[in-house]
Amino acid sequence: MLGKTPPITLAFVARITEVEKLALDLPENQRAVLAAHLLRSLPPVLHDEDEGIAEALRRDAELDADASLAIPLKELDQRIGRRRRS
């Protein structure tokens, strides 16, 4: 059965697609409520052990200590654009 997708996976994908279609057909305010409920049902994404928050706080403190480290938004956009092209 190498190369074949198990039937259970196909059924799961079909169900997800159906739920997504139903959700997208809801009015905006109901979609917002549904999204909030779904997000609250998930565990937090950032954990201290992944150092995401610690890294953000460290960088913020660096900028507070030396504002010359900051770059203008226009320059940031240019750098991102160059990275995407390369």
Side-chain angles (χ1 to χ4, degrees):
M1 290 198 52
L2 189 61
K4 282 190 153 188
T5 305
I8 189 109
T9 303
L10 293 175
F12 179 75
V13 171
R15 181 165 284 156
I16 292 290
T17 303
E18 182 181 338
V19 168
E20 181 181 20
K21 183 186 177 332
L22 290 170
L24 291 173
D25 287 341
L26 292 171
E28 187 175 293
N29 63 332
Q30 291 179 1
R31 285 195 323 268
V33 170
L34 176 60
H37 285 275
L38 291 171
L39 288 172
R40 272 198 303 267
S41 74
L42 297 171
V45 175
L46 291 177
H47 302 283
D48 286 339
E49 62 262 16
D50 76 3
E51 300 182 24
I53 295 172
E55 177 67 12
L57 293 172
R58 184 187 65 75
R59 289 180 183 203
D60 188 51
E62 283 180 359
L63 284 173
D64 284 345
D66 184 0
S68 70
L69 295 172
I71 62 171
L73 180 58
K74 186 174 182 177
E75 184 180 339
L76 176 63
D77 286 340
Q78 290 169 344
R79 288 184 186 187
I80 292 170
R82 284 194 297 267
R83 285 181 68 182
R84 287 183 177 163
R85 287 189 288 274
S86 50

